[in-house]
Amino acid sequence: MEEQDLLEIVLDLGRLPQARYPERCVHLAETAVTRADIEQVVSCVGEFGADNRAGIEGTLHRISALRNRKGHIIGLTLRVGRAVFGTIDQVRDLIESGKSVLLLGRPGVGKTTKLREVARVLADEFNKRVIVIDTSNEIAGDGDIPHPAIGSARRMQVPHPDRQHAVMIEAVENHMPEVIIVDEIGTEAEAIAARTIAERGVQLIGTAHGNTLQNLLLNPTLSDLVGGVQTVTLGDEEARLRGTQKTVSERKAPPTFASVVEIVDREDVIVHRDTASAVDALLRGANPGGVRRTPGGGVSEDEPARQIQTTPPKTVPLIPEQRNMKIYPYALSRDLLERAIRDLGLNARAVSRIEHAGLILALRSRTSDLRLQHVLEVTRLPMQAVRKNTTSQIRRVLKGLFNVVEGVDDAEVNDAVCEVEAAVHRVMEERVSVSLSPRSASIRKIQHRVVSRYHLVAESMGSEPQRHLVVYPAHSRRDVGTEADDLIIH
């Protein structure tokens, strides 16, 4: 490893000093760090602020302190700061558009380095009035004179991290900027300040921690940066038209940032040019899209960025051979769930800890809770919604999940489900309609549910006792009768 690859140096009291590179760590000495070593380093750097960060005047390096309970420094992280040219080539068109752009990425991926070049390019090449909000002197370096890496952009220092939002507003009100650059938006007050700046017509280039747009949307503190989330109750007709539940999540407001860039690594980014469209897709449970851009400004427009599982499946496939299903009730009575399981004689049980569950059964009005959405994202558990917290409603959902049809033999249910699943796969592969064997009304309802899970069209045809289901491709919808078991479910 060469010096140009060095990320940081770590000095911890009583441990060997380390130099950290992207792929490995190297010990710098064979003796442990002493208090005298730490004090010597501290004496050579600037004053530590309330965020336990300091710098070295005239450089971009950042020194962060670890303290004990008495406030004494017992560890230092000396992070190497560099001015690197060409780091915004992949997103230069967004920066030049004059619209606000948010950069996302894990710590150390190069967000701040990109901000420096953004400041220089906009100030020097486009002659714009640029102000950098520098909370820890990390963007423009320590000292009163900004580092040349930001070009002719002006820098406003923040006296305390809690005042970053106030300095952002002060910059707009006092200095007439065309562009404001801010690093690490992390509080609700800063998110509100960012929206205020954007609404005044100032281009805002900012960063926030979070690997993806989806992570940010699930963060209640920062989701306002991309429009926020609100729960909306739809009317019956609207819910039918959308093919959704009556309670859905929608974007609350226009996004503060017109575009979002996910920084995968220093040379690889995913661009969401239209934040509003990407967020709307996420809230519908669809792929938000995004274009992966390669080094040198290359754009892979025809290649999807990646397939993102936005939310786990909202339904559980009808699998008759499920055994010992563990169900976690969310906003539902566990006693009622256990009673319904017992009454139906199901091979299932309610669990009190979500990590033990194989399925989440949630009250429909609470399915948009951010906590629940976060759990679903992390665990990838399937979820079923119950309209009301009553035994009858819970029984109804469980009967559908476990293919419980009173007065019908289990073997017949299994045979009917296997038949319809085979038909569904043939319809999807060959784009032809498939007729099933004659079944009773109760069995046809189960088959309808299977078809609906694949977003295909089903219709009951013929007269009893030869009435049977016909499965059509998704775009071959036909006019049907009005009997309960004849309804198309899609």
Side-chain angles (χ1 to χ4, degrees), residues 167-456:
V167 176
M168 291 167 65
I169 299 299
E170 180 186 343
V172 176
E173 294 178 343
N174 293 353
H175 302 287
M176 297 179 58
E178 294 176 283
V179 183
I180 286 183
I181 294 175
V182 58
D183 199 9
E184 296 185 6
I185 300 173
T187 68
E188 184 177 2
E190 291 163 9
I192 294 173
R195 177 169 292 278
T196 301
I197 291 171
E199 289 174 347
R200 295 189 182 189
V202 178
Q203 183 181 11
L204 182 63
I205 312 294
T207 70
H209 288 305
N211 293 343
T212 65
L213 177 60
Q214 182 185 6
N215 295 147
L216 193 67
L217 193 61
L218 293 173
N219 185 330
T221 302
L222 299 180
S223 64
D224 185 63
L225 296 175
V226 291
V229 182
Q230 64 182 354
T231 301
V232 177
T233 301
L234 305 176
D236 293 340
E237 184 65 25
E238 179 67 16
R240 280 195 296 270
L241 289 173
R242 295 192 186 189
T244 64
Q245 301 172 351
K246 292 185 65 176
T247 303
V248 298
S249 294
E250 291 188 348
R251 181 165 47 85
K252 184 167 56 177
T256 299
F257 292 90
S259 301
V260 173
V261 177
E262 300 173 7
I263 304 176
V264 180
D265 57 42
R266 293 181 182 274
E267 296 184 342
D268 194 4
V269 301
I270 294 174
V271 173
H272 299 281
R273 182 179 288 274
D274 186 346
T275 303
S277 297
V279 169
D280 291 343
L282 277 171
L283 294 176
R284 291 195 307 268
N287 190 328
V291 175
R292 186 180 294 276
R293 296 190 174 185
T294 56
V299 180
S300 303
E301 292 288 355
D302 296 329
E303 182 178 338
R306 65 167 176 271
Q307 295 299 318
I308 300 176
Q309 180 67 34
T310 58
T311 55
K314 296 301 181 186
T315 56
V316 177
L318 295 173
I319 305 176
E321 57 269 23
Q322 292 186 50
R323 293 291 181 265
N324 195 27
M325 173 64 74
K326 298 175 182 178
I327 304 174
Y328 176 80
Y330 183 87
L332 291 174
S333 167
R334 183 179 175 186
D335 290 339
L336 294 182
L337 174 59
E338 291 176 336
R339 182 185 305 171
I341 292 173
R342 186 170 57 251
D343 292 346
L344 294 173
L346 303 178
N347 195 344
R349 63 189 178 93
V351 294
S352 58
R353 297 176 65 87
I354 202 164
E355 57 266 28
H356 297 157
L359 165 71
I360 296 176
L361 200 63
L363 189 64
R364 178 172 297 178
S365 62
R366 299 287 298 279
T367 55
S368 298
D369 286 4
L370 289 175
R371 173 175 173 269
L372 176 59
Q373 290 298 318
H374 177 70
V375 168
L376 292 173
E377 178 194 11
V378 172
T379 65
R380 300 296 185 191
L381 288 174
M383 181 186 73
Q384 277 288 339
V386 178
R387 184 163 51 180
K388 295 181 180 179
N389 188 23
T390 63
T391 303
S392 61
Q393 289 293 326
I394 294 174
R395 280 172 56 93
R396 181 178 180 180
V397 172
L398 292 179
K399 287 169 69 175
L401 287 173
F402 290 86
N403 300 328
V404 176
V405 182
E406 297 177 353
V408 178
D409 183 66
D410 287 345
E412 183 180 357
V413 174
N414 292 351
D415 180 65
V417 171
C418 290
E419 181 189 23
V420 71
E421 287 183 337
V424 162
H425 286 104
R426 183 183 171 192
V427 169
M428 295 175 68
E429 291 176 2
E430 302 178 15
R431 305 291 297 171
V432 297
S433 60
V434 177
S435 297
L436 306 182
S437 304
R439 302 284 183 180
S440 65
S442 56
I443 294 296
R444 291 198 304 272
K445 288 180 180 179
I446 292 178
Q447 292 179 322
H448 269 297
R449 288 200 295 267
V450 175
V451 173
S452 71
R453 282 167 169 76
Y454 293 91
H455 304 288
L456 298 179

Side-chain angles (χ1 to χ4, degrees), residues 4-44:
Q4 63 188 34
D5 297 316
L6 179 64
L7 297 178
E8 60 188 16
I9 294 174
V10 175
L11 305 177
D12 285 336
L13 184 64
R15 294 182 176 179
L16 298 180
Q18 290 184 338
R20 294 182 175 176
Y21 296 90
E23 303 296 335
R24 61 173 181 149
C25 295
V26 177
H27 289 132
L28 299 177
E30 297 180 356
T31 57
V33 175
T34 65
R35 292 188 184 276
D37 294 330
I38 292 179
E39 290 172 0
Q40 181 182 2
V41 174
V42 170
S43 67
C44 297

Side-chain angles (χ1 to χ4, degrees), residues 33-87:
V33 175
T34 65
R35 292 188 184 276
D37 294 330
I38 292 179
E39 290 172 0
Q40 181 182 2
V41 174
V42 170
S43 67
C44 297
V45 303
E47 183 179 351
F48 284 92
D51 54 0
N52 279 316
R53 292 179 178 180
I56 300 174
E57 188 166 356
T59 74
L60 298 172
H61 307 315
R62 186 185 78 189
I63 295 86
S64 302
L66 292 174
R67 299 179 184 270
N68 61 17
R69 293 184 177 181
K70 296 181 180 180
H72 299 148
I73 297 176
I74 57 172
L76 294 170
T77 302
L78 294 82
R79 187 168 176 179
V80 178
R82 297 183 177 91
V84 183
F85 295 92
T87 61

